[in-house]
Amino acid sequence: MRYSKQREVVFEVVSKSDDHPEVKKIYERVKEKIPNISLGTVYRNLNTLSADNQIKKIISFDGEHFDKTTYEHYHAYCDICKNVFDVNLKFLSDTSEKIEKNTGIKVISCNFIIKGICHNCQKNKKERED
Amino acid sequence: MRYSKQREVVFEVVSKSDDHPEVKKIYERVKEKIPNISLGTVYRNLNTLSADNQIKKIISFDGEHFDKTTYEHYHAYCDICKNVFDVNLKFLSDTSEKIEKNTGIKVISCNFIIKGICHNCQKNKKERED
DNA sequence: TTATAAGTAGTAATTATTACTATTTAGAGG
DNA sequence: CCTCTAAATAGTAATAATTACTACTTATAA
């Protein structure tokens, strides 16, 4: 893989994002630094970077999101505010290994996403109902 | 929800499928029984049926698949043959409940999909290499 | 310094999904 | 049985997401 300024900035943007952004949002953020970058370039680099395990592609209920964190952890998608949250739970650790052992499937990656309602939206909902 | 022949056939097709078909394939199978059914009708009914928990929508690496089985279980997607397989493992049972207890997120549904290489494709790969 | 293959911008094409509209139909209430 | 009405449909158009294509640019190896 050859160096390019565009890929560096795409990586940098994802690395500095705490909100699991979608392609569209990443594109906007990258454009602040490279105004004439092409959307195709962002797509290509997000795909090469995640194939190279430098970032992680999350498959969610509303499409693809990206995560700076590549170690095995999982996500929750809020059906109200549409945000994606990290989920780190002990009983889910080493899931890849366990699945490989138990099923014989050669695991490449795991995508575990929960659809639900986040703390904030539960609170707001309750307040409206009172 | 009012009865319709179209929805009945869509449900029937998914119910009789053992292969976690995608919309396109479901559409083809339904057309054998209702040749002039509209693709939009298939989409609409797949969405209403899964919202009503009569079938399950699986979010996979290559898009949406559908499953006749609605109880909590998980899936593996083969990166070579692109098929989706059921995964039933004890240590993953009651995941919804556990997540709700541990995170406080109100869980609506869980989507756990593993990307890997299935038994058959591992075998074929090995044979080619010998 | 130069050759070349990887990467890019800009655009076109493709694919998946939803929206729209006129028409049909299930089924509730007379 | 009728009749009414809202739900559902077929067919088409529109939208959104992603990939493909092409001429140009650039990293980097020799």
Side-chain angles (χ1 to χ4, degrees):
Chain A
M1 201 192 298
R2 211 181 64 176
Y3 172 83
S4 85
K5 182 70 184 165
Q6 286 83 345
R7 186 183 302 123
E8 186 182 47
V9 172
V10 169
F11 176 72
E12 199 180 288
V13 161
V14 176
S15 294
K16 286 183 182 166
S17 296
D18 293 310
D19 57 347
H20 307 90
E22 296 182 69
V23 176
K24 219 171 149 185
K25 191 160 270 178
I26 295 167
Y27 178 50
E28 284 164 18
R29 289 176 190 172
V30 171
K31 269 207 290 194
E32 289 169 19
K33 302 207 169 176
I34 307 175
N36 73 326
I37 196 169
S38 168
L39 179 57
T41 298
V42 174
Y43 268 101
R44 187 168 10 81
N45 282 317
L46 288 171
N47 285 332
T48 49
L49 287 167
S50 60
D52 196 47
N53 208 38
Q54 296 186 251
I55 60 175
K56 185 166 171 59
K57 187 191 283 190
I58 305 166
I59 298 169
S60 180
F61 294 89
D62 64 342
E64 291 177 355
H65 293 247
F66 289 86
D67 195 335
K68 62 178 171 181
T69 311
T70 57
Y71 67 80
E72 191 165 323
H73 70 290
Y74 305 100
H75 298 95
Y77 162 82
C78 177
D79 206 28
I80 294 178
C81 67
K82 317 298 181 195
N83 285 318
V84 172
F85 302 92
D86 284 319
V87 170
N88 281 292
L89 290 172
K90 273 181 205 161
F91 77 94
L92 283 175
S93 61
D94 303 317
T95 300
S96 287
E97 279 177 44
K98 287 181 194 165
I99 286 165
E100 201 158 315
K101 247 181 214 169
N102 281 285
T103 67
I105 292 163
K106 176 88 194 139
V107 176
I108 298 168
S109 72
C110 283
N111 191 79
F112 193 2
I113 184 133
I114 300 124
K115 179 159 70 181
I117 300 171
C118 73
H119 296 123
N120 216 24
C121 288
Q122 282 182 62
K123 213 178 104 186
N124 291 341
K125 208 180 164 193
K126 216 186 167 189
E127 278 169 11
R128 275 201 312 281
E129 285 165 4
D130 294 339
Chain B
M1 202 194 294
R2 211 179 67 177
Y3 172 84
S4 85
K5 183 67 186 168
Q6 285 82 347
R7 186 183 302 122
E8 185 183 48
V9 172
V10 169
F11 177 72
E12 199 179 290
V13 162
V14 176
S15 295
K16 288 183 180 164
S17 296
D18 293 313
D19 57 349
H20 309 89
E22 296 183 68
V23 176
K24 216 171 150 186
K25 192 159 269 178
I26 294 167
Y27 178 51
E28 283 165 19
R29 288 175 190 172
V30 171
K31 270 208 288 193
E32 289 171 18
K33 302 207 169 176
I34 307 176
N36 72 325
I37 195 168
S38 168
L39 179 57
T41 299
V42 174
Y43 268 101
R44 186 167 11 79
N45 282 316
L46 287 171
N47 285 332
T48 50
L49 287 167
S50 60
D52 196 48
N53 208 38
Q54 296 186 252
I55 60 175
K56 186 165 171 60
K57 188 190 280 192
I58 305 165
I59 298 169
S60 179
F61 293 89
D62 64 342
E64 293 177 354
H65 293 247
F66 290 87
D67 195 334
K68 61 179 174 181
T69 311
T70 57
Y71 69 81
E72 192 166 323
H73 71 289
Y74 305 99
H75 298 95
Y77 163 82
C78 177
D79 207 29
I80 295 177
C81 67
K82 315 299 179 194
N83 287 317
V84 172
F85 302 92
D86 284 319
V87 170
N88 282 292
L89 291 173
K90 274 181 204 160
F91 78 94
L92 283 174
S93 61
D94 303 317
T95 301
S96 288
E97 280 176 42
K98 286 181 196 165
I99 285 166
E100 202 158 314
K101 248 182 213 169
N102 281 286
T103 66
I105 292 163
K106 176 88 194 138
V107 175
I108 298 168
S109 71
C110 283
N111 190 78
F112 193 2
I113 185 133
I114 300 123
K115 178 157 72 180
I117 300 169
C118 73
H119 296 123
N120 215 25
C121 288
Q122 283 182 60
K123 212 178 105 186
N124 290 342
K125 209 179 163 195
K126 213 183 167 190
E127 277 168 12
R128 275 202 312 281
E129 284 165 5
D130 293 339

